[in-house]
């Protein structure tokens, strides 16, 4: 296994990998996840610790495996140790960051320009909240990041976006202020519109909106918000 500091900034197998998939140890609907992976192109495939379990079930070999390996089954760890052309990063279990955070930072160190997280939601609400927090790493670096599961797409934004009805994930769009204020919010193409409205934390105003036009526009002048597209 390689030390993380020696791995930083390298290309895998001579390939420059820009679009990264990271699978971590939360709940995964295998049929959805496999379909999503098959429908999208990922140049970099990363397993964060027990995210290896999904890859084993799905028959997918990751390019990189990172973690302290305290939550993965021993037989799964051995299964991938016997595979060729996998870069391993063993982390000290006495660390300040999660394996998922380490995987995100590793992907960015290796040139990721787009990151999708699978297995980042589930019954551990503390882990799910922490993983939403980690979307801010991509935001700081202007690298698009999203959390995907069978029912949700979650993004963090600091500027306006357009969601096309034909491409939206699910039926509902919820906007949750992440900063204390999100100023001059304007929503067009939604069932519930806003015009230069300042959204504040600690309320549920932005929950369960719906797109009513070919495309919906979200714009604002200052602040950070979490955008959740939900299927149910």
């Amino acid at each position: 296994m390689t030390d993380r500091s020696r791995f930083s900034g390298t290309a895998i197998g001579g390939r420059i990998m820009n679009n990264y998939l990271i699978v971590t140890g939360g709940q995964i609907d295998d049929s959805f996840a496999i379909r999503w992976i098959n429908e999208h192109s990922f140049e970099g495939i990363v397993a964060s610790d027990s995210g290896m379990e999904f890859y084993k079930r799905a028959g997918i070999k990751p390019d990189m495996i990172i973690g302290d390996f305290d939550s993965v089954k021993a037989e799964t760890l051995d299964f991938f140790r016997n595979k060729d052309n996998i870069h391993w990063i063993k982390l000290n279990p006495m660390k300040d960051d999660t394996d998922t955070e380490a995987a995100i930072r590793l992907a960015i160190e290796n040139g990721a320009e787009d990151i999708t997280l699978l297995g980042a939601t589930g019954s551990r609400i503390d882990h799910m909240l922490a993983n939403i927090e980690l979307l801010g790493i991509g935001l700081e670096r202007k690298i698009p990041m999203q959390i995907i599961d069978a029912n949700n797409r979650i993004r963090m934004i600091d500027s306006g976006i357009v969601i096309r009805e034909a491409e939206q994930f699910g039926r509902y769009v919820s906007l949750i202020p992440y900063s204390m204020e999100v100023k001059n919010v304007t929503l067009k193409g939604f069932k519930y519109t806003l015009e230069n409205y300042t959204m504040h934390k600690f309320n549920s105003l932005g929950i369960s909106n719906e797109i009513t036009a070919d495309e919906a526009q979200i714009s604002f002048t200052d602040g950070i918000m979490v955008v959740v597209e939900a299927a149910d």
Side-chain angles (χ1 to χ4, degrees):
M1 296 186 184
T2 57
D3 179 79
R4 184 182 178 190
S5 63
R6 294 173 54 201
F7 188 78
S8 174
T10 63
I12 306 303
R15 291 175 291 152
I16 298 174
M17 296 188 289
N18 297 323
N19 192 9
Y20 272 71
L21 170 69
I22 298 173
V23 176
T24 188
Q27 293 179 357
I28 297 179
D29 179 322
D30 284 6
S31 60
F32 163 80
I34 293 169
R35 184 172 67 252
W36 180 271
I37 292 169
N38 288 335
E39 291 174 352
H40 296 79
S41 176
F42 295 102
E43 292 88 21
I45 306 291
V46 183
S48 171
D49 206 288
S50 59
M52 279 184 276
E53 303 289 355
F54 164 76
Y55 285 125
K56 184 173 182 289
R57 296 192 304 269
I60 297 171
K61 186 179 74 171
D63 298 297
M64 294 175 280
I65 296 175
I66 184 170
D68 54 23
F69 310 135
D70 63 347
S71 56
V72 65
K73 295 177 182 176
E75 56 265 32
T76 301
L77 197 58
D78 290 340
F79 176 83
F80 284 111
R81 278 175 171 157
N82 290 323
K83 301 292 184 183
D84 295 328
N85 300 317
I86 297 176
H87 288 260
W88 292 80
I89 301 89
K90 176 68 165 65
L91 302 176
N92 188 330
M94 300 296 291
K95 59 186 187 304
D96 294 329
D97 55 351
T98 63
D99 294 325
T100 303
E101 179 177 347
I104 292 169
R105 295 191 183 280
L106 177 68
I108 292 172
E109 288 168 2
N110 283 272
E113 296 178 355
D114 188 280
I115 299 173
T116 294
L117 295 173
L118 281 169
T121 59
S123 59
R124 283 290 301 269
I125 299 299
D126 53 344
H127 281 285
M128 184 172 69
L129 290 173
N131 289 334
I132 293 172
E133 179 86 11
L134 294 177
L135 293 174
I137 297 174
L139 194 67
E140 287 182 333
R141 291 161 177 78
K142 305 302 181 185
I143 296 172
M145 285 182 59
Q146 60 182 354
I147 292 172
I148 295 287
D149 64 27
N151 297 302
N152 305 281
R153 173 164 65 173
I154 307 170
R155 292 178 285 176
M156 184 180 290
I157 63 173
D158 61 0
S159 61
I161 61 170
V162 172
I163 304 175
R164 293 177 177 84
E165 184 185 31
E167 300 171 356
Q168 73 177 110
F169 192 104
R171 176 181 176 184
Y172 299 104
V173 179
S174 292
L175 307 178
I176 304 168
Y178 188 78
S179 55
M180 290 303 296
E181 292 183 338
V182 182
K183 296 180 179 180
N184 299 310
V185 178
T186 297
L187 304 180
K188 297 180 179 179
F190 285 98
K191 182 177 181 178
Y192 304 106
T193 60
L194 290 174
E195 186 72 29
N196 295 326
Y197 181 84
T198 296
M199 297 181 70
H200 298 271
K201 286 180 71 70
F202 315 133
N203 69 81
S204 56
L205 173 70
I207 300 299
S208 295
N209 212 334
E210 298 180 51
I211 295 175
T212 57
D214 290 339
E215 63 179 34
Q217 300 176 21
I218 303 167
S219 64
F220 53 95
T221 59
D222 188 62
I224 299 172
M225 68 168 60
V226 173
V227 180
V228 181
E229 295 169 69
D232 58 6

